[in-house]
Amino acid sequence: MAKLVRGFRDIFEPQSKNFTELENCARGVFSLYGFGELRLPTVELKELFVKSTGETTDIVQKEMYAFEDAGHRQLAIRPEGTPGVVRAYLENNFTQNAPVQKFYYVGNMFRAERPQAGRYREFEQIGAEYIGNSAPAADAEVILMLKDIVSKFGAKNYCVKINSLGCDKCRPLYRQALIDFLSKEKDTLCENCQTRLEKNPLRVLDCKIDGARFAGRVPTMQLCPECQSHFDEVQALLKGKIDFVVDPMLVRGLDYYSRTVFEFQAGDVSQNAIAAGGRYDTLVKNMGGPATPAIGWAMGAERVIAARGETPVAPVKSVYVVSMDKSCNETAFNIMQSLRAAGIRTEGGLFDKNVKGQMKQSDRCHAAYAIILGTDELAQKQATFKNLSTGEQQKISFDVLTDEVKKAL
Ligand code: HAM
């Protein structure tokens, strides 16, 4: 039998409805903040992610679905959205014509991570990218927008952590201080962190194995005056509008971040970052554009849903149309279509089955009412309308059938 690939999922109703609900909720909030949807391709040149997400990141080193196509192009199925957004921004000349842009995207991302609860190989991200604004107001805006979505959707028990990773002036000094500190403990580091130590020492703080034991012991970041005042201002704007903590251990796993970074973490979800993001003030330039500041985030839809708990969506009441004889099929089918045209949820059409089979299906569909059509009904231009929970039934003339069904529902 055909089999699902490990780490991938089929999502049926009612679970799939949670995704639609979250997407609709996010779209409503995006619109309030003036963010417009950017629909991105799923496949990009592999090089895009190597250069932007970062060569030393787990995503690029181990998790990317990369392949060569028939034209010998090296491609990758997107592991994240930010590089594609920046590519689209540059390629479509926004830098010249309208440098300040607010984009959002909804789409599946792909990472060959070890599957476990809350960690999938294909997952949905809803993301936002605010390009062209270096002011702390942009940082506060995107963080509060994220909070608005998550809380409007109903996720509770999450905490917000923020930090500043500084800029090209202050980070190299911190990087060196970290290398000096961690080198003394090199032998105790896990295999991954021994490699990270030279290439990307900040990532050691984020390591699941080593990170926690360095909390409170590692040297802390000394921000340059500009970065410090930027970070102070971000915090001042957030105060009173959202509960947050400054966590000097928050470093993020992607290479392009500078200054503000943040995570929304849900304690009771095993993979605890439900959403995360930060500034990437050098990425646009590194990708060939003019120096352009930017900030954004992405939420993992599965994790936000898990943080809320799946709430069963109340089923819409439906009508099930049954035909008792071949000669009634066409009229029964036409009734189905007119009910639907009137906005009534209608099922039926299983006309190759006998009445018992059709009624059984109406039960499986949890229909509230059945409309039953036999040769007598057809001759009288009436349908039998049956309440499936009480068993009561009555004859209703075709002319008023739609109105009567509407009233009953
Ligand atoms: P990220 O931290 O790699 O950042 O992913 C963002 C969110 O996607 C995570 O917080 C998590 O909720 C979800 N996520 C990541 N991997 C998985 C997985 N394997 N299974 C389920 N959910 C997952 C980014 O992707 C950046 N592009 C965010 C950003 C936008 N930064 C600036 N702009």
Side-chain angles (χ1 to χ4, degrees), residues 80 82 111 113 118 120 125 129 252 256-257 273-274 296-297 300:
E80 58 142 339
T82 311
R111 298 181 192 177
E113 296 192 73
Y120 307 101
Q125 273 191 352
E129 312 292 351
R252 308 276 301 121
Y256 46 65
Y257 290 115
I274 60 172
W297 51 255

Side-chain angles (χ1 to χ4, degrees), residues 9 59 63 79-83 105 109-114 116 118-130 252-254 256-257 262-264 271-280 294-304:
R9 288 155 310 142
I59 296 180
E63 297 166 359
E80 58 142 339
T82 311
Y105 49 90
M109 305 295 157
F110 301 79
R111 298 181 192 177
E113 296 192 73
R114 201 167 52 79
Q116 61 183 72
R119 195 200 277 162
Y120 307 101
R121 293 188 158 179
E122 178 175 7
F123 56 96
E124 179 178 313
Q125 273 191 352
I126 299 177
E129 312 292 351
Y130 190 165
R252 308 276 301 121
L254 299 93
Y256 46 65
Y257 290 115
F262 51 92
E263 277 190 8
F264 282 43
Q271 291 295 318
N272 70 357
I274 60 172
R279 265 202 176 276
Y280 47 97
I295 182 162
W297 51 255
M299 66 169 77
E302 289 78 1
R303 294 188 191 174
V304 175

Side-chain angles (χ1 to χ4, degrees), residues 187-246:
D187 297 344
T188 69
L189 295 178
C190 76
E191 211 178 308
N192 257 340
C193 284
Q194 301 219 356
T195 328
R196 283 178 187 140
L197 180 57
E198 299 300 331
K199 290 191 184 152
N200 198 347
L202 267 70
R203 292 282 290 124
V204 175
L205 305 187
D206 196 34
C207 171
K208 296 274 176 294
I209 306 167
D210 288 328
R213 69 191 164 96
F214 292 121
R217 288 206 296 134
V218 281
T220 48
M221 179 95 190
Q222 297 301 309
L223 296 173
C224 66
E226 292 82 13
C227 287
Q228 188 63 56
S229 91
H230 191 277
F231 193 40
D232 290 344
E233 216 176 305
V234 172
Q235 292 178 60
L237 290 171
L238 292 176
K239 273 222 170 93
K241 303 180 188 79
I242 183 173
D243 289 330
F244 65 92
V245 289
V246 175

Side-chain angles (χ1 to χ4, degrees), residues 64-86:
M64 207 148 60
Y65 285 98
F67 61 99
E68 186 179 286
D69 76 353
H72 301 295
R73 279 173 291 253
Q74 302 300 321
L75 305 178
I77 311 180
R78 59 181 181 191
E80 58 142 339
T82 311
V85 172
V86 175

Side-chain angles (χ1 to χ4, degrees), residues 35 130 137-147 262 295-297:
F35 280 65
Y130 190 165
D139 308 45
E141 180 173 329
V142 297
I143 292 171
L144 293 172
M145 178 169 73
L146 174 56
K147 183 207 116 185
F262 51 92
I295 182 162
W297 51 255

Side-chain angles (χ1 to χ4, degrees), residues 24-93:
N24 290 343
C25 168
R27 284 178 201 281
V29 175
F30 284 136
S31 158
L32 290 176
Y33 281 81
F35 280 65
E37 185 172 11
L38 173 54
R39 289 186 176 241
L40 293 161
T42 313
V43 171
E44 300 272 2
L45 291 174
K46 178 183 169 187
E47 194 189 53
L48 175 73
F49 301 107
V50 175
K51 287 199 173 145
S52 48
T53 309
E55 229 158 338
T56 64
T57 60
D58 287 351
I59 296 180
V60 166
Q61 289 202 334
K62 314 187 255 200
E63 297 166 359
M64 207 148 60
Y65 285 98
F67 61 99
E68 186 179 286
D69 76 353
H72 301 295
R73 279 173 291 253
Q74 302 300 321
L75 305 178
I77 311 180
R78 59 181 181 191
E80 58 142 339
T82 311
V85 172
V86 175
R87 177 205 45 73
Y89 173 84
L90 286 174
E91 234 179 342
N92 292 281
N93 277 330

